[in-house]
Amino acid sequence: MNSFGYMSTNHSSWPVLLVIYNLPPGLCMKQKYMMLSMMIFDLKLPRNDINVYLSPLIEDLKLMWDRGVEVFDEFSNETFKMNAMLFYTTNDFPTHGHLSGYSVKGHKSCPICEEDTASQQLKLGRKTVYLRHQRFLRSYHPYRSLEKTFNGHQETSSPPTPLTGVVDYEKVNNIDHTFGKSKQKSSVINIC
């Protein structure tokens, strides 16, 4: 959300909402069951520093998962231990990169296709564009045969095979990633 201008970076607001998903589908997205756990205001986008803002929430979620919290149930007039977990996050693609540490820029930025990402650099604008999205459609879908509308070729290939959890773990097991901005060396000049 940008409160003070269209596509301007004069101000940035990031709402962090918690939604209770063990309610019936008609209730879980009602406003009274959504909790605004925090609102991140800053002059700049938090980018890789998002973990600094989310660390108190992560600590609370760890506590609620491991030990639980005593909660009073007014209907039955008794207390019980409530455990909770983070089921999933919903965010845009750049935020996905900041939260996961995955690079969402460049020629191989698709987390599903990875090495099989079909990308091309535009000559004049030097932007990277991503092609061959029709391969995710059914094999007999009419969009697969539209050559002029897409990249000039009829799409005949199938989508990439999704990675298993074991393969994902092997890829990220030895990655050493530091969240937040790195400390830059100061360029102080001593004049004697």
Side-chain angles (χ1 to χ4, degrees):
M1 286 187 346
N2 192 335
S3 308
F4 302 112
Y6 181 73
M7 297 301 287
S8 168
T9 56
N10 293 336
H11 182 78
S12 172
S13 301
W14 288 40
V16 178
L17 300 170
L18 295 178
V19 179
I20 302 169
Y21 273 118
N22 63 343
L23 294 172
L27 291 178
C28 69
M29 296 309 285
K30 298 276 185 194
Q31 185 176 356
K32 67 181 180 178
Y33 297 110
M34 297 175 116
M35 295 169 272
L36 179 66
S37 64
M38 73 176 65
M39 187 71 148
I40 303 171
F41 293 106
D42 204 347
L43 295 176
K44 298 178 185 173
L45 300 173
R47 294 205 165 90
N48 226 13
D49 289 333
I50 191 80
N51 68 315
V52 174
Y53 295 104
L54 294 179
S55 61
L57 175 64
I58 292 169
E59 291 302 319
D60 288 346
L61 287 170
K62 282 182 183 177
L63 171 74
M64 291 182 77
W65 176 254
D66 292 336
R67 291 188 296 217
V69 177
E70 290 290 324
V71 177
F72 180 73
D73 183 7
E74 188 174 339
F75 183 75
S76 63
N77 202 21
E78 60 185 28
T79 60
F80 67 96
K81 186 179 276 191
M82 180 178 73
N83 292 78
M85 66 177 240
L86 178 65
F87 191 60
Y88 66 86
T89 63
T90 304
N91 41 268
D92 61 357
F93 201 53
T95 306
H96 167 71
H98 297 307
L99 290 174
S100 67
Y102 190 87
S103 175
V104 293
K105 299 174 185 172
H107 292 282
K108 307 293 179 197
S109 66
C110 178
I112 297 167
C113 303
E114 289 195 332
E115 295 300 318
D116 197 28
T117 303
S119 61
Q120 182 178 344
Q121 192 86 21
L122 295 178
K123 293 177 184 175
L124 298 176
R126 295 187 310 185
K127 283 188 173 260
T128 304
V129 294
Y130 304 98
L131 311 167
R132 298 181 57 210
H133 293 94
Q134 312 93 288
R135 64 185 166 160
F136 292 97
L137 297 172
R138 298 181 310 269
S139 59
Y140 52 87
H141 197 281
Y143 281 7
R144 282 182 163 259
S145 60
L146 295 177
E147 296 176 12
K148 291 182 182 178
T149 308
F150 295 103
N151 61 349
H153 301 287
Q154 186 173 355
E155 188 59 60
T156 57
S157 63
S158 60
T161 307
L163 299 176
T164 64
V166 174
V167 174
D168 271 342
Y169 180 74
E170 289 174 0
K171 285 185 162 199
V172 299
N173 186 25
N174 296 321
I175 294 176
D176 182 27
H177 184 77
T178 305
F179 286 99
K181 294 180 180 156
S182 61
K183 303 276 186 192
Q184 294 182 358
K185 296 178 182 177
S186 62
S187 57
V188 177
I189 301 173
N190 291 328
I191 301 176
C192 298

